[in-house]
Amino acid sequence: MRYLILILLIFSIPIFAFSQTAPQYLLDGSNVIWFVQITDTHVDSDALKYYKDYFMWVLNEAVPVINPFFIVVTGDLTDSTKSTFPYYGSGPHEEEWLKYKNLYLNAMMTPSFYYDVPGNHDAYGDGQLAYYLKYSLQGSFTNSTQQSWYIDNGRAIYHFFSAATPANDGKQWPSDNQEFTDEELIQIDRFLKEKKDADMRIVFGHHDYEKEDVKNKDRFLILLKDYGVSYYGHGHEHDYGFRIGDGKIIKYRLDSLGQSEGNNVAVWAIDNFGVTIKTYKAMSMFPAAIITAPADVILDDPKSKIENPYIPPVSRNCTNAPVRALVFSKADNPDVSFSIDSDPEIKMVRRENNPQQYRGYFDATGLSVGLHSITVRVVTDSSARTTNEFYVADIPCELGKEDPDEIIDVDAGYEIDTHYEDINGTDEIVIVDQGYEDVLETEDSIDDIQDSVEDLYVIADEVQDIEKVNDTMLNDKGTINDLIISKPDSGFQDELQDSGCSCNLLF
């Protein structure tokens, strides 16, 4: 009987479960990526109109300084309101969507960089999200309300995807509700199956699926847990903070960019799979820094202290414990330093091959076992501080080797493999780092491709209509042909860096 019980226990474990790669605290700082999240832009809101200044500031001023791998907007893109009764729930309004579209077009956003997710306001009177599919960047490009994309930096594969949480019934406020439909869950399952080899998975949506009791959330949770999803980013609630839900999934919510004065821009940084998220106020966040190592073990929730279970400790046996920070400053040469607890400050050095990253080192042998703090200070014509908390443990010091700081003089290439299928509205956008050589794998020669798409280049002095590009890309079978589009440059780093934000992208 005991043997039978053992066999049953073994086979009760799902054989299809996938877990993310365990976070590590290492000297190697080459496996660092970061991205920007904003949410609830509420374009054309009559009540509060912060979007008019904040939205364009983020796209045109903040993005070039932060130089993220991508930007994600987690819903309520438009407001669906008007200045007369019934105000809310009066949409959809085409003029709102046209204003929203013009904002991202004027900022030169592209489908490989800008990911906009539908929210409940976007579904008012439009249960099938037809306006989202016509006017949002991702909706118009993929003909889908959910998207999947990934980054392969040569060291790890990071898989991201969005989940459409609004119900598909078009009910207006205050009767709107939330739902994962069968079709949406099937599509999410396909996203996950197609990237089984991902080292890390992060999902975005508009609602907290547990707090808002999204219909079919149990089926959604099964997918997240089976594939080791650890982080979920969302909006909707017009405040910010963290919750840890079923399956130890960390849920981060961000305040509204369109209807809140502050706490409305987030930077996510991932350093060897350790995640730190910092929240800033639009139009006043620079200079800014985010410490990526040691990652923040205490989540910055204004209401309660929540411990991040995925952050590794620092060994008290290390004499050269690394400190890494991403610094975002309009000044060319900010002064950057760090301090441990209340100790004197130590200067940090900028990396040549990644101008946003600064590094330093400290001796952890004098620290006691337990919780400590690290503060990074950035000084230009003004100053800013940021603090992480980390645990020190009496464990072996295993930091590995540090990566070389070399200036790379060859353009970094990315292969974008985008396919559109009419069935279930599925889509996947793939970003694959090919190292430091441009590699375009197509059936035709590169010369033929360049000839065929010469007129379709999106360049800084000629903003093309995305819908016209889409029409050109769709062939008779409803599939997308390969197209080369340049990512928005608009002042990104002139020097080549790991994020590759000045690369040509192949769709």
Side-chain angles (χ1 to χ4, degrees), residues 452-472:
S452 65
V453 300
E454 183 178 0
D455 295 331
L456 295 178
Y457 277 93
V458 179
I459 56 177
D461 57 354
E462 183 180 0
V463 179
Q464 297 186 8
D465 191 295
I466 294 293
E467 290 179 358
K468 291 180 180 179
V469 175
N470 289 345
D471 292 341
T472 305

Side-chain angles (χ1 to χ4, degrees), residues 133-147:
L133 293 172
K134 182 176 182 180
Y135 293 109
S136 72
L137 182 50
Q138 287 299 321
S140 62
F141 184 73
T142 67
N143 195 38
S144 174
T145 60
Q146 302 182 134
Q147 285 79 37

Side-chain angles (χ1 to χ4, degrees), residues 247-359:
K248 290 187 178 180
I249 297 172
I250 295 175
K251 298 177 293 182
Y252 170 73
R253 65 188 182 278
L254 178 62
D255 211 338
S256 168
L257 186 73
Q259 296 187 338
S260 297
E261 289 190 72
N263 303 316
N264 47 21
V265 179
V267 177
W268 295 53
I270 307 174
D271 187 319
N272 291 301
F273 313 110
V275 178
T276 298
I277 307 171
K278 294 295 181 179
T279 311
Y280 306 93
K281 179 179 179 179
M283 299 186 71
S284 60
M285 68 175 286
F286 299 126
I290 179 169
I291 304 168
T292 67
D296 203 355
V297 74
I298 303 298
L299 300 171
D300 290 340
D301 189 285
K303 299 176 183 178
S304 60
K305 292 287 187 180
I306 302 175
E307 183 174 339
N308 187 334
Y310 303 111
I311 302 303
V314 174
S315 168
R316 66 177 303 186
N317 298 301
C318 291
T319 58
N320 61 334
V323 177
R324 282 186 291 274
L326 297 171
V327 176
F328 312 122
S329 171
K330 294 181 179 180
D332 290 334
N333 295 297
D335 182 56
V336 183
S337 59
F338 77 91
S339 61
I340 303 295
D341 297 331
S342 57
D343 292 345
E345 291 186 345
I346 300 173
K347 186 175 178 61
M348 301 183 71
V349 178
R350 188 179 191 176
R351 299 291 284 183
E352 291 184 343
N353 70 353
N354 188 347
Q356 258 109 13
Q357 189 181 94
Y358 284 72
R359 299 189 188 185

Side-chain angles (χ1 to χ4, degrees), residues 8 15 22 64 82 86 96 136 177 192 212 220 225 239 242 287 301 311 327 345 351 372 403 437 446 458 473 475:
L8 289 175
I15 61 175
K82 59 183 180 181
E96 287 187 353
S136 72
N177 50 78
L192 290 164
E212 304 300 331
F220 179 67
K225 290 190 285 188
D239 70 353
F242 293 85
D301 189 285
I311 302 303
V327 176
E345 291 186 345
R351 299 291 284 183
H372 294 266
D403 53 304
E437 298 178 2
I446 293 177
V458 179
M473 293 164 60
N475 62 24

